[in-house]
Amino acid sequence: YATHDVKRYKFFKPQDYSFVPGQATDVSINAPEWKDEKRPFTFTCLNSDSYLEFTIKTYPSHLGVTNELSKLEEGAELIIGDPWGAINYTKPGDFIAAGAGITPFIAIFRHLHKLGKIKGNRLFYSNKTAADIILKDEFENMLGSDFINTLTREKNDSYENRHIDNAYLKEKIRDFGHTFYICGPDRFVSDINSILIDLGANTNSVIIEK
């Protein structure tokens, strides 16, 4: 488990299969009643790894794909498509994520960390509670004080307790000429994108999931 409701899944990597950090693919479970139920998930391993990894939040109440994935046992098979789009890292900047939307950033930061090129990037991460912070220890190890958390539904002295909004970004962002990477629920991405543009960010420098 990456958190109380987020699991890391590792699978055999097909020969010659490759992807770029930040990319995703369509995934389904290779079982008669589930093989046509495709869902997009982001790779959270490195392309150089000998396996494929997905870090996925489980929604038991939906009785859907994520719930079924959580029940899989060793030896189960997935059907995956070609890698596609999502977040493409171009240069150092400020990353802004909410909840499970952090998944495209996991492979990007792991890749930068491996190359020794993580300096100059910051990650602002919003969650409901501290228990929801995905891979907290790993991000702290990679980013140190440039891993900045805020909680929206829990009062916790170790973190700020506020939403990422106009006031928050005006306070935290030093340079709106920077490159920005945003990922999270659709409404979150749309709102943050609009706020950044209003505060002076260049439209071409705000990178969101396509």
Side-chain angles (χ1 to χ4, degrees):
Y1 279 88
T3 72
H4 61 102
D5 61 358
V6 175
K7 294 182 76 171
R8 299 168 69 175
Y9 300 87
K10 289 185 178 181
F11 290 89
F12 173 78
K13 184 179 182 179
Q15 188 173 0
D16 298 327
Y17 192 93
S18 65
F19 62 92
V20 175
Q23 284 191 315
T25 189
D26 291 318
V27 176
S28 62
I29 299 167
N30 192 13
E33 64 273 34
W34 290 100
K35 66 181 182 179
D36 294 326
E37 295 292 328
K38 298 177 181 178
R39 298 292 186 275
F41 295 117
T42 309
F43 301 104
T44 53
C45 53
L46 299 180
N47 187 52
S48 57
D49 290 332
S50 60
Y51 54 86
L52 294 179
E53 179 191 81
F54 302 98
T55 303
I56 300 171
K57 184 172 181 176
T58 304
Y59 297 90
S61 61
H62 295 186
L63 299 177
V65 172
T66 64
N67 185 58
E68 203 64 24
L69 281 169
S70 72
K71 300 177 185 176
L72 294 184
E73 297 181 355
E74 187 172 345
E77 293 183 351
L78 295 185
I79 301 169
I80 62 172
D82 293 329
W84 47 263
I87 304 285
N88 184 36
Y89 179 81
T90 57
K91 58 184 177 181
D94 289 319
F95 288 73
I96 305 170
I102 201 169
T103 52
F105 298 161
I106 295 173
I108 290 173
F109 279 114
R110 285 175 170 173
H111 182 64
L112 292 173
H113 184 63
K114 182 179 180 180
L115 295 178
K117 295 183 177 180
I118 206 165
K119 191 173 181 181
N121 291 289
R122 294 191 299 170
L123 173 57
F124 296 92
Y125 191 20
S126 175
N127 280 287
K128 293 175 183 176
T129 72
D132 296 315
I133 300 174
I134 296 172
L135 301 180
K136 173 180 173 289
D137 292 344
E138 183 175 355
F139 277 117
E140 285 181 344
N141 178 58
M142 290 191 293
L143 286 161
S145 61
D146 288 324
F147 180 41
I148 303 148
N149 290 276
T150 185
L151 307 179
T152 60
R153 296 190 187 175
E154 178 185 66
K155 297 296 182 185
N156 186 316
D157 292 340
S158 298
Y159 305 97
E160 289 193 86
N161 308 124
R162 50 196 294 207
H163 289 270
I164 297 180
D165 54 16
N166 188 296
Y168 182 95
L169 293 171
K170 281 175 71 174
E171 178 185 318
K172 302 292 185 182
I173 303 298
R174 296 184 285 263
D175 177 12
F176 285 96
H178 221 178
T179 299
F180 295 94
Y181 303 87
I182 315 170
C183 199
D186 291 345
R187 178 67 182 272
F188 176 86
V189 172
S190 175
D191 287 350
I192 300 302
N193 183 42
S194 296
I195 291 168
L196 289 172
I197 300 302
D198 288 345
L199 291 173
N202 187 309
T203 306
N204 295 327
S205 297
V206 180
I207 298 169
I208 61 176
E209 201 164 26
K210 302 297 185 183

mmCIF file of all heavy atoms in Angstrom, residues 170-188:
data_model
loop_
_atom_site.group_PDB
_atom_site.id
_atom_site.type_symbol
_atom_site.label_atom_id
_atom_site.label_comp_id
_atom_site.label_asym_id
_atom_site.label_seq_id
_atom_site.Cartn_x
_atom_site.Cartn_y
_atom_site.Cartn_z
ATOM 1 N N LYS A 170 -0.407 33.135 -4.708
ATOM 2 C CA LYS A 170 0.265 34.445 -4.652
ATOM 3 C C LYS A 170 1.314 34.461 -3.547
ATOM 4 O O LYS A 170 2.379 35.065 -3.684
ATOM 5 C CB LYS A 170 -0.769 35.557 -4.403
ATOM 6 C CG LYS A 170 -1.542 35.962 -5.640
ATOM 7 C CD LYS A 170 -2.635 36.959 -5.334
ATOM 8 C CE LYS A 170 -2.080 38.322 -4.990
ATOM 9 N NZ LYS A 170 -3.184 39.317 -4.841
ATOM 10 N N GLU A 171 1.025 33.751 -2.464
ATOM 11 C CA GLU A 171 1.957 33.701 -1.328
ATOM 12 C C GLU A 171 3.145 32.785 -1.594
ATOM 13 O O GLU A 171 4.272 33.081 -1.214
ATOM 14 C CB GLU A 171 1.202 33.216 -0.090
ATOM 15 C CG GLU A 171 2.053 33.070 1.153
ATOM 16 C CD GLU A 171 1.269 32.470 2.314
ATOM 17 O OE1 GLU A 171 0.097 32.863 2.507
ATOM 18 O OE2 GLU A 171 1.822 31.598 2.997
ATOM 19 N N LYS A 172 2.896 31.667 -2.287
ATOM 20 C CA LYS A 172 3.920 30.621 -2.423
ATOM 21 C C LYS A 172 4.794 30.733 -3.661
ATOM 22 O O LYS A 172 5.955 30.317 -3.638
ATOM 23 C CB LYS A 172 3.252 29.237 -2.429
ATOM 24 C CG LYS A 172 2.412 28.916 -1.199
ATOM 25 C CD LYS A 172 3.260 28.755 0.029
ATOM 26 C CE LYS A 172 2.397 28.319 1.219
ATOM 27 N NZ LYS A 172 3.196 28.206 2.463
ATOM 28 N N ILE A 173 4.239 31.251 -4.735
ATOM 29 C CA ILE A 173 4.970 31.262 -6.002
ATOM 30 C C ILE A 173 5.838 32.509 -6.105
ATOM 31 O O ILE A 173 5.345 33.634 -6.002
ATOM 32 C CB ILE A 173 4.005 31.190 -7.204
ATOM 33 C CG1 ILE A 173 3.114 29.940 -7.104
ATOM 34 C CG2 ILE A 173 4.785 31.197 -8.516
ATOM 35 C CD1 ILE A 173 3.846 28.622 -7.130
ATOM 36 N N ARG A 174 7.103 32.291 -6.336
ATOM 37 C CA ARG A 174 8.038 33.420 -6.412
ATOM 38 C C ARG A 174 8.061 34.060 -7.786
ATOM 39 O O ARG A 174 8.323 35.246 -7.927
ATOM 40 C CB ARG A 174 9.448 32.925 -6.049
ATOM 41 C CG ARG A 174 9.587 32.416 -4.623
ATOM 42 C CD ARG A 174 11.027 32.044 -4.320
ATOM 43 N NE ARG A 174 11.422 30.791 -4.950
ATOM 44 C CZ ARG A 174 11.413 29.616 -4.320
ATOM 45 N NH1 ARG A 174 11.017 29.549 -3.063
ATOM 46 N NH2 ARG A 174 11.800 28.515 -4.937
ATOM 47 N N ASP A 175 7.826 33.259 -8.824
ATOM 48 C CA ASP A 175 7.974 33.760 -10.188
ATOM 49 C C ASP A 175 6.903 33.134 -11.078
ATOM 50 O O ASP A 175 6.941 31.935 -11.361
ATOM 51 C CB ASP A 175 9.378 33.398 -10.705
ATOM 52 C CG ASP A 175 9.604 33.816 -12.142
ATOM 53 O OD1 ASP A 175 8.778 34.580 -12.682
ATOM 54 O OD2 ASP A 175 10.623 33.379 -12.729
ATOM 55 N N PHE A 176 5.956 33.946 -11.540
ATOM 56 C CA PHE A 176 4.893 33.412 -12.387
ATOM 57 C C PHE A 176 5.335 33.268 -13.845
ATOM 58 O O PHE A 176 4.559 32.882 -14.703
ATOM 59 C CB PHE A 176 3.624 34.257 -12.258
ATOM 60 C CG PHE A 176 2.906 34.007 -10.966
ATOM 61 C CD1 PHE A 176 3.108 34.841 -9.876
ATOM 62 C CD2 PHE A 176 2.075 32.913 -10.806
ATOM 63 C CE1 PHE A 176 2.480 34.601 -8.662
ATOM 64 C CE2 PHE A 176 1.442 32.653 -9.608
ATOM 65 C CZ PHE A 176 1.644 33.503 -8.524
ATOM 66 N N GLY A 177 6.604 33.581 -14.114
ATOM 67 C CA GLY A 177 7.177 33.297 -15.412
ATOM 68 C C GLY A 177 7.731 31.881 -15.479
ATOM 69 O O GLY A 177 8.285 31.460 -16.488
ATOM 70 N N HIS A 178 7.564 31.171 -14.384
ATOM 71 C CA HIS A 178 8.045 29.801 -14.235
ATOM 72 C C HIS A 178 7.210 28.854 -15.105
ATOM 73 O O HIS A 178 6.155 29.212 -15.611
ATOM 74 C CB HIS A 178 7.896 29.394 -12.761
ATOM 75 C CG HIS A 178 9.058 28.618 -12.237
ATOM 76 N ND1 HIS A 178 9.152 28.193 -10.930
ATOM 77 C CD2 HIS A 178 10.177 28.165 -12.840
ATOM 78 C CE1 HIS A 178 10.277 27.526 -10.756
ATOM 79 N NE2 HIS A 178 10.910 27.502 -11.900
ATOM 80 N N THR A 179 7.667 27.599 -15.222
ATOM 81 C CA THR A 179 6.863 26.538 -15.828
ATOM 82 C C THR A 179 6.040 25.872 -14.731
ATOM 83 O O THR A 179 6.533 25.647 -13.625
ATOM 84 C CB THR A 179 7.771 25.501 -16.506
ATOM 85 O OG1 THR A 179 8.525 26.150 -17.544
ATOM 86 C CG2 THR A 179 6.961 24.365 -17.114
ATOM 87 N N PHE A 180 4.778 25.565 -15.035
ATOM 88 C CA PHE A 180 3.891 24.937 -14.063
ATOM 89 C C PHE A 180 3.340 23.629 -14.627
ATOM 90 O O PHE A 180 3.023 23.532 -15.809
ATOM 91 C CB PHE A 180 2.712 25.861 -13.725
ATOM 92 C CG PHE A 180 3.127 27.135 -13.037
ATOM 93 C CD1 PHE A 180 3.365 28.287 -13.788
ATOM 94 C CD2 PHE A 180 3.310 27.189 -11.671
ATOM 95 C CE1 PHE A 180 3.760 29.465 -13.170
ATOM 96 C CE2 PHE A 180 3.712 28.353 -11.041
ATOM 97 C CZ PHE A 180 3.938 29.496 -11.793
ATOM 98 N N TYR A 181 3.230 22.636 -13.748
ATOM 99 C CA TYR A 181 2.654 21.337 -14.091
ATOM 100 C C TYR A 181 1.487 21.099 -13.131
ATOM 101 O O TYR A 181 1.675 21.157 -11.915
ATOM 102 C CB TYR A 181 3.698 20.234 -13.937
ATOM 103 C CG TYR A 181 4.952 20.449 -14.755
ATOM 104 C CD1 TYR A 181 6.019 21.202 -14.248
ATOM 105 C CD2 TYR A 181 5.085 19.905 -16.034
ATOM 106 C CE1 TYR A 181 7.175 21.410 -14.996
ATOM 107 C CE2 TYR A 181 6.243 20.106 -16.786
ATOM 108 C CZ TYR A 181 7.283 20.864 -16.259
ATOM 109 O OH TYR A 181 8.422 21.067 -17.000
ATOM 110 N N ILE A 182 0.306 20.836 -13.662
ATOM 111 C CA ILE A 182 -0.877 20.668 -12.810
ATOM 112 C C ILE A 182 -1.529 19.325 -13.088
ATOM 113 O O ILE A 182 -1.711 18.931 -14.243
ATOM 114 C CB ILE A 182 -1.936 21.759 -13.082
ATOM 115 C CG1 ILE A 182 -1.307 23.149 -13.178
ATOM 116 C CG2 ILE A 182 -3.017 21.744 -12.009
ATOM 117 C CD1 ILE A 182 -2.280 24.210 -13.684
ATOM 118 N N CYS A 183 -1.915 18.623 -12.028
ATOM 119 C CA CYS A 183 -2.666 17.386 -12.196
ATOM 120 C C CYS A 183 -3.546 17.139 -10.977
ATOM 121 O O CYS A 183 -3.153 17.389 -9.839
ATOM 122 C CB CYS A 183 -1.728 16.202 -12.411
ATOM 123 S SG CYS A 183 -2.579 14.784 -13.145
ATOM 124 N N GLY A 184 -4.748 16.648 -11.235
ATOM 125 C CA GLY A 184 -5.706 16.376 -10.166
ATOM 126 C C GLY A 184 -7.086 16.228 -10.781
ATOM 127 O O GLY A 184 -7.223 16.048 -12.002
ATOM 128 N N PRO A 185 -8.133 16.311 -9.971
ATOM 129 C CA PRO A 185 -9.493 16.278 -10.512
ATOM 130 C C PRO A 185 -9.690 17.388 -11.545
ATOM 131 O O PRO A 185 -9.041 18.439 -11.479
ATOM 132 C CB PRO A 185 -10.361 16.510 -9.268
ATOM 133 C CG PRO A 185 -9.509 16.071 -8.116
ATOM 134 C CD PRO A 185 -8.109 16.418 -8.499
ATOM 135 N N ASP A 186 -10.581 17.160 -12.497
ATOM 136 C CA ASP A 186 -10.789 18.110 -13.598
ATOM 137 C C ASP A 186 -11.046 19.534 -13.108
ATOM 138 O O ASP A 186 -10.483 20.498 -13.646
ATOM 139 C CB ASP A 186 -11.959 17.663 -14.476
ATOM 140 C CG ASP A 186 -11.643 16.407 -15.268
ATOM 141 O OD1 ASP A 186 -10.449 16.050 -15.369
ATOM 142 O OD2 ASP A 186 -12.582 15.772 -15.792
ATOM 143 N N ARG A 187 -11.891 19.671 -12.113
ATOM 144 C CA ARG A 187 -12.224 21.012 -11.605
ATOM 145 C C ARG A 187 -10.997 21.685 -10.986
ATOM 146 O O ARG A 187 -10.768 22.890 -11.166
ATOM 147 C CB ARG A 187 -13.358 20.902 -10.563
ATOM 148 C CG ARG A 187 -13.772 22.221 -9.907
ATOM 149 C CD ARG A 187 -14.424 23.154 -10.909
ATOM 150 N NE ARG A 187 -14.774 24.421 -10.280
ATOM 151 C CZ ARG A 187 -15.935 24.656 -9.657
ATOM 152 N NH1 ARG A 187 -16.853 23.698 -9.586
ATOM 153 N NH2 ARG A 187 -16.172 25.838 -9.131
ATOM 154 N N PHE A 188 -10.203 20.917 -10.261
ATOM 155 C CA PHE A 188 -8.979 21.433 -9.649
ATOM 156 C C PHE A 188 -8.029 21.947 -10.733
ATOM 157 O O PHE A 188 -7.502 23.059 -10.646
ATOM 158 C CB PHE A 188 -8.304 20.327 -8.834
ATOM 159 C CG PHE A 188 -6.977 20.709 -8.223
ATOM 160 C CD1 PHE A 188 -6.916 21.344 -6.993
ATOM 161 C CD2 PHE A 188 -5.778 20.405 -8.875
ATOM 162 C CE1 PHE A 188 -5.689 21.691 -6.423
ATOM 163 C CE2 PHE A 188 -4.558 20.741 -8.316
ATOM 164 C CZ PHE A 188 -4.514 21.385 -7.090
#
